[in-house]
Short mmCIF file of all heavy atoms in Angstrom, two decimals:
data_model
loop_
_atom_site.label_atom_id
_atom_site.label_comp_id
_atom_site.label_asym_id
_atom_site.label_seq_id
_atom_site.Cartn_x
_atom_site.Cartn_y
_atom_site.Cartn_z
N ALA A 18 2.08 -10.65 6.45
CA ALA A 18 1.97 -11.31 5.17
C ALA A 18 2.87 -10.54 4.25
O ALA A 18 3.38 -9.46 4.56
CB ALA A 18 0.56 -11.40 4.62
N SER A 19 3.13 -11.03 3.04
CA SER A 19 3.97 -10.46 2.05
C SER A 19 3.31 -9.39 1.23
O SER A 19 2.26 -9.51 0.69
CB SER A 19 4.43 -11.63 1.06
OG SER A 19 5.03 -11.08 -0.07
N ILE A 20 3.99 -8.20 1.29
CA ILE A 20 3.61 -7.08 0.40
C ILE A 20 3.64 -7.44 -1.08
O ILE A 20 2.83 -7.01 -1.82
CB ILE A 20 4.31 -5.82 0.74
CG1 ILE A 20 3.53 -4.64 0.20
CG2 ILE A 20 5.76 -5.94 0.29
CD1 ILE A 20 4.11 -3.22 0.73
N GLU A 21 4.60 -8.32 -1.45
CA GLU A 21 4.76 -8.69 -2.83
C GLU A 21 3.55 -9.49 -3.39
O GLU A 21 3.42 -9.60 -4.56
CB GLU A 21 6.02 -9.45 -3.05
CG GLU A 21 7.29 -8.68 -2.95
CD GLU A 21 7.88 -8.56 -1.52
OE1 GLU A 21 7.13 -8.92 -0.56
OE2 GLU A 21 9.03 -8.22 -1.34
N SER A 22 2.80 -10.05 -2.49
CA SER A 22 1.60 -10.85 -2.88
C SER A 22 0.58 -10.06 -3.37
O SER A 22 -0.42 -10.59 -4.08
CB SER A 22 1.11 -11.75 -1.68
OG SER A 22 0.53 -10.90 -0.72
N LEU A 23 0.47 -8.71 -3.20
CA LEU A 23 -0.57 -7.88 -3.65
C LEU A 23 -0.75 -7.81 -5.18
O LEU A 23 -1.89 -7.85 -5.66
CB LEU A 23 -0.44 -6.42 -3.16
CG LEU A 23 -0.72 -6.19 -1.59
CD1 LEU A 23 -0.39 -4.79 -1.29
CD2 LEU A 23 -2.24 -6.52 -1.46
N LYS A 24 0.32 -7.85 -5.83
CA LYS A 24 0.27 -7.77 -7.30
C LYS A 24 -0.34 -9.09 -7.87
O LYS A 24 -1.36 -8.93 -8.63
CB LYS A 24 1.73 -7.54 -7.87
CG LYS A 24 1.73 -7.47 -9.43
CD LYS A 24 1.17 -6.18 -9.93
CE LYS A 24 1.26 -6.03 -11.46
NZ LYS A 24 0.47 -5.01 -11.96
N PRO A 25 0.14 -10.25 -7.64
CA PRO A 25 -0.47 -11.40 -8.22
C PRO A 25 -1.91 -11.70 -7.71
O PRO A 25 -2.74 -12.23 -8.39
CB PRO A 25 0.46 -12.60 -7.89
CG PRO A 25 1.31 -12.03 -6.73
CD PRO A 25 1.32 -10.58 -6.88
N PHE A 26 -2.16 -11.29 -6.38
CA PHE A 26 -3.48 -11.65 -5.83
C PHE A 26 -4.58 -10.68 -6.23
O PHE A 26 -5.68 -11.09 -6.64
CB PHE A 26 -3.32 -11.58 -4.26
CG PHE A 26 -4.62 -11.79 -3.52
CD1 PHE A 26 -5.24 -13.03 -3.54
CD2 PHE A 26 -5.19 -10.71 -2.93
CE1 PHE A 26 -6.44 -13.29 -2.92
CE2 PHE A 26 -6.45 -10.91 -2.27
CZ PHE A 26 -7.12 -12.19 -2.28
N ALA A 27 -4.24 -9.41 -6.28
CA ALA A 27 -5.33 -8.42 -6.57
C ALA A 27 -4.90 -7.31 -7.58
O ALA A 27 -5.57 -6.33 -7.81
CB ALA A 27 -5.70 -7.73 -5.24
N ASN A 28 -3.82 -7.60 -8.26
CA ASN A 28 -3.31 -6.62 -9.29
C ASN A 28 -3.06 -5.21 -8.77
O ASN A 28 -3.41 -4.23 -9.38
CB ASN A 28 -4.22 -6.66 -10.55
CG ASN A 28 -3.47 -6.06 -11.76
OD1 ASN A 28 -2.33 -6.11 -11.93
ND2 ASN A 28 -4.31 -5.34 -12.60
N VAL A 29 -2.50 -5.15 -7.53
CA VAL A 29 -2.23 -3.86 -6.92
C VAL A 29 -0.75 -3.51 -7.21
O VAL A 29 0.11 -4.37 -6.99
CB VAL A 29 -2.38 -3.94 -5.42
CG1 VAL A 29 -1.88 -2.71 -4.74
CG2 VAL A 29 -3.93 -4.12 -5.06
N ASN A 30 -0.59 -2.33 -7.77
CA ASN A 30 0.83 -1.80 -8.07
C ASN A 30 1.45 -1.42 -6.81
O ASN A 30 1.16 -0.32 -6.31
CB ASN A 30 0.74 -0.78 -9.12
CG ASN A 30 2.04 -0.27 -9.55
OD1 ASN A 30 3.11 -0.51 -8.95
ND2 ASN A 30 2.19 0.36 -10.74
N VAL A 31 2.32 -2.17 -6.19
CA VAL A 31 2.97 -1.90 -4.96
C VAL A 31 3.81 -0.60 -4.99
O VAL A 31 3.76 0.16 -3.95
CB VAL A 31 3.84 -3.10 -4.54
CG1 VAL A 31 4.61 -2.81 -3.22
CG2 VAL A 31 2.95 -4.31 -4.36
N SER A 32 4.36 -0.30 -6.07
CA SER A 32 5.24 0.91 -6.11
C SER A 32 4.38 2.14 -6.07
O SER A 32 4.92 3.31 -5.85
CB SER A 32 6.05 0.89 -7.43
OG SER A 32 5.21 1.05 -8.63
N LYS A 33 3.03 2.15 -6.24
CA LYS A 33 2.18 3.31 -6.25
C LYS A 33 1.32 3.42 -4.90
O LYS A 33 0.57 4.34 -4.80
CB LYS A 33 1.22 3.34 -7.46
CG LYS A 33 2.01 3.40 -8.68
CD LYS A 33 1.17 3.85 -9.85
CE LYS A 33 2.13 3.88 -11.07
NZ LYS A 33 1.61 4.67 -12.10
N ILE A 34 1.65 2.67 -3.97
CA ILE A 34 0.94 2.73 -2.76
C ILE A 34 1.41 3.92 -1.96
O ILE A 34 2.71 4.09 -1.72
CB ILE A 34 1.11 1.46 -1.87
CG1 ILE A 34 0.56 0.31 -2.60
CG2 ILE A 34 0.46 1.57 -0.47
CD1 ILE A 34 0.88 -1.10 -2.00
N PRO A 35 0.64 4.75 -1.47
CA PRO A 35 0.98 6.03 -0.76
C PRO A 35 1.76 5.75 0.56
O PRO A 35 1.31 4.81 1.38
CB PRO A 35 -0.30 6.72 -0.45
CG PRO A 35 -1.37 6.13 -1.38
CD PRO A 35 -0.86 4.79 -1.68
N LEU A 36 2.77 6.55 0.83
CA LEU A 36 3.50 6.41 1.98
C LEU A 36 2.88 7.46 3.02
O LEU A 36 2.68 8.63 2.67
CB LEU A 36 5.02 6.82 1.77
CG LEU A 36 5.90 6.95 3.07
CD1 LEU A 36 6.06 5.49 3.77
CD2 LEU A 36 7.21 7.49 2.69
N ILE A 37 2.63 7.03 4.17
CA ILE A 37 2.08 7.87 5.29
C ILE A 37 3.25 8.14 6.33
O ILE A 37 3.88 7.18 6.66
CB ILE A 37 0.91 7.18 5.99
CG1 ILE A 37 -0.14 6.72 5.03
CG2 ILE A 37 0.33 8.09 7.00
CD1 ILE A 37 -0.98 7.75 4.27
N ASN A 38 3.30 9.31 6.73
CA ASN A 38 4.23 9.64 7.84
C ASN A 38 3.39 10.28 8.95
O ASN A 38 2.94 11.42 8.87
CB ASN A 38 5.34 10.63 7.44
CG ASN A 38 6.43 10.77 8.46
OD1 ASN A 38 6.13 10.71 9.64
ND2 ASN A 38 7.62 11.09 8.06
N GLU A 39 3.15 9.48 10.07
CA GLU A 39 2.32 9.87 11.11
C GLU A 39 3.06 10.02 12.38
O GLU A 39 3.53 8.95 12.89
CB GLU A 39 1.21 8.82 11.30
CG GLU A 39 0.01 9.34 12.25
CD GLU A 39 -1.18 8.43 12.25
OE1 GLU A 39 -1.50 7.79 11.10
OE2 GLU A 39 -1.83 8.24 13.31
N ASN A 40 3.31 11.21 12.78
CA ASN A 40 4.19 11.50 13.94
C ASN A 40 5.54 10.81 13.89
O ASN A 40 5.96 10.17 14.86
CB ASN A 40 3.42 11.09 15.18
CG ASN A 40 2.09 11.81 15.37
OD1 ASN A 40 2.04 13.03 15.07
ND2 ASN A 40 1.09 11.15 15.75
N GLY A 41 6.13 10.86 12.73
CA GLY A 41 7.50 10.22 12.52
C GLY A 41 7.44 8.77 12.21
O GLY A 41 8.51 8.15 12.01
N VAL A 42 6.28 8.08 12.28
CA VAL A 42 6.20 6.69 11.91
C VAL A 42 5.77 6.51 10.51
O VAL A 42 4.78 7.11 10.04
CB VAL A 42 5.08 5.98 12.80
CG1 VAL A 42 5.01 4.51 12.43
CG2 VAL A 42 5.49 6.13 14.31
N LYS A 43 6.60 5.74 9.65
CA LYS A 43 6.32 5.57 8.34
C LYS A 43 5.62 4.29 8.08
O LYS A 43 6.08 3.25 8.55
CB LYS A 43 7.59 5.69 7.49
CG LYS A 43 8.28 7.01 7.53
CD LYS A 43 9.52 6.99 6.79
CE LYS A 43 10.28 8.34 6.88
NZ LYS A 43 11.62 8.30 6.37
N TYR A 44 4.52 4.32 7.22
CA TYR A 44 3.86 3.12 6.83
C TYR A 44 3.12 3.42 5.48
O TYR A 44 2.94 4.56 5.11
CB TYR A 44 2.96 2.49 7.94
CG TYR A 44 1.81 3.52 8.22
CD1 TYR A 44 0.53 3.31 7.65
CD2 TYR A 44 1.92 4.48 9.17
CE1 TYR A 44 -0.56 4.12 8.07
CE2 TYR A 44 0.94 5.35 9.57
CZ TYR A 44 -0.38 5.10 8.94
OH TYR A 44 -1.41 5.93 9.31
N PHE A 45 2.75 2.40 4.84
CA PHE A 45 2.01 2.44 3.60
C PHE A 45 0.52 2.17 3.88
O PHE A 45 0.22 1.47 4.74
CB PHE A 45 2.46 1.43 2.50
CG PHE A 45 3.86 1.69 2.08
CD1 PHE A 45 4.95 0.84 2.38
CD2 PHE A 45 4.12 2.74 1.23
CE1 PHE A 45 6.18 1.10 1.93
CE2 PHE A 45 5.48 2.97 0.70
CZ PHE A 45 6.46 2.11 1.12
N LEU A 46 -0.28 2.82 3.16
CA LEU A 46 -1.79 2.56 3.25
C LEU A 46 -2.39 2.59 1.82
O LEU A 46 -2.19 3.56 1.09
CB LEU A 46 -2.35 3.70 4.14
CG LEU A 46 -3.87 3.59 4.36
CD1 LEU A 46 -4.07 2.30 5.33
CD2 LEU A 46 -4.31 4.77 5.16
N LEU A 47 -3.07 1.54 1.53
CA LEU A 47 -3.76 1.38 0.15
C LEU A 47 -4.77 2.53 -0.02
O LEU A 47 -5.45 2.97 0.95
CB LEU A 47 -4.47 0.07 -0.02
CG LEU A 47 -3.63 -1.19 0.14
CD1 LEU A 47 -4.54 -2.39 0.00
CD2 LEU A 47 -2.65 -1.22 -1.05
N GLU A 48 -4.93 2.89 -1.26
CA GLU A 48 -6.03 3.85 -1.67
C GLU A 48 -7.35 2.97 -1.79
O GLU A 48 -7.26 1.74 -1.83
CB GLU A 48 -5.66 4.44 -3.07
CG GLU A 48 -4.46 5.34 -3.14
CD GLU A 48 -4.71 6.69 -2.50
OE1 GLU A 48 -5.81 6.93 -1.89
OE2 GLU A 48 -3.83 7.56 -2.56
N LEU A 49 -8.47 3.67 -1.76
CA LEU A 49 -9.72 2.93 -1.79
C LEU A 49 -9.87 2.04 -3.04
O LEU A 49 -10.41 0.92 -2.99
CB LEU A 49 -10.83 3.94 -1.75
CG LEU A 49 -11.11 4.48 -0.41
CD1 LEU A 49 -12.21 5.58 -0.41
CD2 LEU A 49 -11.41 3.49 0.76
N GLU A 50 -9.30 2.56 -4.15
CA GLU A 50 -9.34 1.76 -5.41
C GLU A 50 -8.54 0.43 -5.23
O GLU A 50 -9.09 -0.60 -5.77
CB GLU A 50 -8.81 2.46 -6.66
CG GLU A 50 -9.60 3.69 -7.10
CD GLU A 50 -9.28 4.96 -6.20
OE1 GLU A 50 -8.47 4.93 -5.27
OE2 GLU A 50 -9.92 6.02 -6.54
N ASP A 51 -7.52 0.40 -4.50
CA ASP A 51 -6.76 -0.78 -4.30
C ASP A 51 -7.46 -1.67 -3.32
O ASP A 51 -7.46 -2.87 -3.38
CB ASP A 51 -5.36 -0.53 -3.76
CG ASP A 51 -4.44 0.08 -5.07
OD1 ASP A 51 -4.78 -0.33 -6.15
OD2 ASP A 51 -3.55 0.80 -4.82
N TYR A 52 -8.08 -1.09 -2.23
CA TYR A 52 -8.92 -1.85 -1.30
C TYR A 52 -10.03 -2.62 -2.07
O TYR A 52 -10.29 -3.78 -1.79
CB TYR A 52 -9.46 -1.03 -0.20
CG TYR A 52 -8.55 -1.08 1.03
CD1 TYR A 52 -7.84 0.09 1.38
CD2 TYR A 52 -8.34 -2.26 1.78
CE1 TYR A 52 -7.06 0.06 2.53
CE2 TYR A 52 -7.47 -2.28 2.88
CZ TYR A 52 -6.80 -1.13 3.21
OH TYR A 52 -5.93 -1.21 4.24
#
């Protein structure tokens, strides 16, 4: 699904989502407040 949909759907600030680097794999993971 679209990451851009988070702002209008749940008022999540996409630019503040933490970046995770797990064994060289990069991905974003919401904080509990955003969940």
Side-chain angles (χ1 to χ4, degrees):
S19 164
I20 195 167
E21 289 90 346
S22 67
L23 282 174
K24 181 72 173 167
F26 178 69
N28 198 30
V29 172
N30 185 341
V31 176
S32 67
K33 296 199 179 202
I34 299 171
L36 176 67
I37 308 291
N38 188 329
E39 189 170 331
N40 300 320
V42 179
K43 294 178 185 173
Y44 63 96
F45 294 107
L46 185 65
L47 295 178
E48 295 283 7
L49 285 176
E50 292 84 357
D51 287 331
Y52 267 112

